[in-house]
């Protein structure tokens, strides 16, 4: 039986100068991206009539393309303008995920493994996706690790990194957890399988230092800035599993659900604490323009 390839929510994709509904067939069996994984993407959000930090997401997709050896064919400003054009195609009732993408069609002359930058293609896909995540999430320490820059394309937001995240989540869910707390090759905690992570202890907010083994996200940076502006001591540090087990609060940040409290880490139960709630409130107040945030 053929697999149903239709999207699971309302979807529009801009490619080659036109908007197409549904899930258009864009990558063929000889495409470099299909065969050898030369894909990069980013993800912004639209909700309540706003798209927080859309400009930064559009800038990052072009940096990811360059890191992959691709050639950005759209400026960040052009991508953002297309995103707003796409948003207008939806009814506005459901949050939207905004996903710009680049990929390579061909390998370089003389080496099929290396992508030919001149064969870069671009698409912008928007689809309905509820925010989700609030009410708390559970984590377990993953047996799998994040790679170092010497072993994987960690400088890019690339699809090739996500099968590792997928197996982390699948393994965690097989043991009754929502997501996984992930370490680097040195055994230090760096993030979860799909988001950045913070802990709070004695009023100090701490997050793993950006060591190039994980994506130090745009929402992560925004929340750090807002908390500091609100008077919190926010520290980037080398953190262990034991540090997280001893925390008063743990929360995650990411573009998909913004700020989410952790209510369980392995055998330890936690509650969504006041700093977690404050971080979400600060983010939403800033996103809706209820407060100002100097860079």
């Amino acid at each position: 039986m053929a697999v149903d390839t239709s999207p699971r929510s309302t979807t529009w994709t801009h490619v080659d100068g036109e908007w197409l509904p549904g899930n258009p067939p864009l990558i063929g069996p000889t495409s470099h991206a299909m065969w050898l994984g030369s894909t990069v993407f980013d993800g912004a959000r639209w909700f309540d009539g706003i798209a927080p930090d859309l400009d930064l997401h559009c800038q990052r997709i072009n940096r990811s393309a360059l890191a992959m050896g691709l050639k950005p064919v759209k400026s960040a400003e052009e991508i953002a303008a297309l995103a707003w054009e796409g948003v207008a195609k939806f009814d506005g009732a459901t949050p939207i995920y905004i996903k710009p993408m680049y990929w390579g069609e061909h390998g370089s002359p003389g080496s099929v493994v290396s992508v030919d930058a001149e064969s870069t293609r671009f698409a912008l896909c928007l689809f309905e996706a509820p925010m989700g995540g609030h009410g708390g999430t559970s984590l377990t320490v993953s047996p799998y690790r994040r790679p170092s820059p010497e072993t994987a394309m960690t400088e890019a937001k690339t699809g090739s990194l996500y099968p590792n995240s997928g197996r982390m989540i699948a393994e965690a869910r097989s043991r009754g957890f929502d997501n996984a707390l992930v370490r680097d090759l040195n055994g230090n905690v760096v993030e979860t399988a799909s988001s950045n992570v913070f802990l709070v202890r004695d009023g100090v907010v701490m997050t793993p230092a950006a060591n190039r083994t994980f994506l130090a996200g745009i929402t992560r940076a925004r929340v750090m800035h807002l908390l500091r502006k609100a008077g919190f001591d926010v520290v980037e540090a080398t953190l262990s599993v034991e540090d997280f087990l001893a925390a008063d609060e743990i929360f995650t940040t990411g573009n998909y659900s913004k700020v989410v409290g952790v209510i369980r880490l392995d055998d330890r139960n936690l509650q969504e604490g006041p700093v977690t709630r404050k971080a979400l409130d600060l983010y939403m107040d800033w996103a809706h323009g209820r407060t100002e945030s100097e860079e």
Side-chain angles (χ1 to χ4, degrees), residues 200-244:
V200 183
R201 189 170 185 185
D202 298 329
V204 177
V205 182
M206 305 183 76
T207 193
N211 63 2
R212 299 175 62 215
T213 69
F214 69 100
L215 191 71
I218 291 169
T219 305
R220 170 186 180 270
R222 180 63 63 189
V223 168
M224 290 171 64
H225 172 73
L226 291 169
L227 284 170
R228 283 171 175 155
K229 187 183 175 187
F232 289 88
D233 188 6
V234 182
V235 179
E236 293 183 86
T238 300
L239 299 173
S240 66
V241 170
E242 290 71 26
D243 289 324
F244 279 85

Side-chain angles (χ1 to χ4, degrees), residues 51-235:
D53 284 327
L54 175 61
D55 56 337
L56 300 184
H57 288 281
C58 294
Q59 293 165 23
R60 188 172 65 182
I61 180 64
N62 281 356
R63 294 198 301 272
S64 290
L66 291 170
M68 177 60 74
L70 299 167
K71 179 181 178 180
V73 298
K74 298 282 186 185
S75 70
E77 293 77 15
E78 288 173 325
I79 297 170
L82 280 173
W84 283 111
E85 186 178 307
V87 165
K89 294 183 173 295
F90 294 79
D91 63 15
T94 304
I96 298 168
Y97 193 83
I98 301 170
K99 182 176 63 171
M101 298 171 286
Y102 288 111
W103 70 95
E105 272 298 318
H106 303 295
S108 295
S111 175
V112 70
V113 174
S114 178
V115 69
D116 181 358
E118 296 302 318
S119 74
T120 301
R121 296 187 69 194
F122 170 82
L124 175 64
C125 179
L126 285 74
F127 59 90
E128 291 182 341
M131 297 293 281
H134 303 297
T137 190
S138 60
L139 302 177
T140 182
V141 178
S142 178
Y144 305 120
R145 304 289 182 98
R146 282 285 183 238
S148 68
E150 297 84 5
T151 60
M153 189 74 68
T154 60
E155 300 295 334
K157 189 172 175 67
T158 168
S160 62
L161 293 174
Y162 280 78
N164 193 35
S165 295
R167 69 172 181 165
M168 291 170 180
I169 292 173
E171 192 277 336
R173 290 185 174 179
S174 75
R175 295 191 284 114
F177 296 87
D178 298 318
N179 208 322
L181 192 67
V182 181
R183 296 164 290 174
D184 62 17
L185 295 178
N186 292 321
N188 302 309
V189 173
V190 288
E191 61 176 350
T192 79
S194 59
S195 56
N196 295 131
V197 67
F198 290 73
L199 67 82
V200 183
R201 189 170 185 185
D202 298 329
V204 177
V205 182
M206 305 183 76
T207 193
N211 63 2
R212 299 175 62 215
T213 69
F214 69 100
L215 191 71
I218 291 169
T219 305
R220 170 186 180 270
R222 180 63 63 189
V223 168
M224 290 171 64
H225 172 73
L226 291 169
L227 284 170
R228 283 171 175 155
K229 187 183 175 187
F232 289 88
D233 188 6
V234 182
V235 179

Side-chain angles (χ1 to χ4, degrees), residues 35-55:
W35 188 14
L36 295 167
S38 57
T39 66
V40 296
F41 72 99
D42 216 286
R45 276 295 213 171
W46 177 93
F47 58 93
D48 298 343
I50 57 176
D53 284 327
L54 175 61
D55 56 337

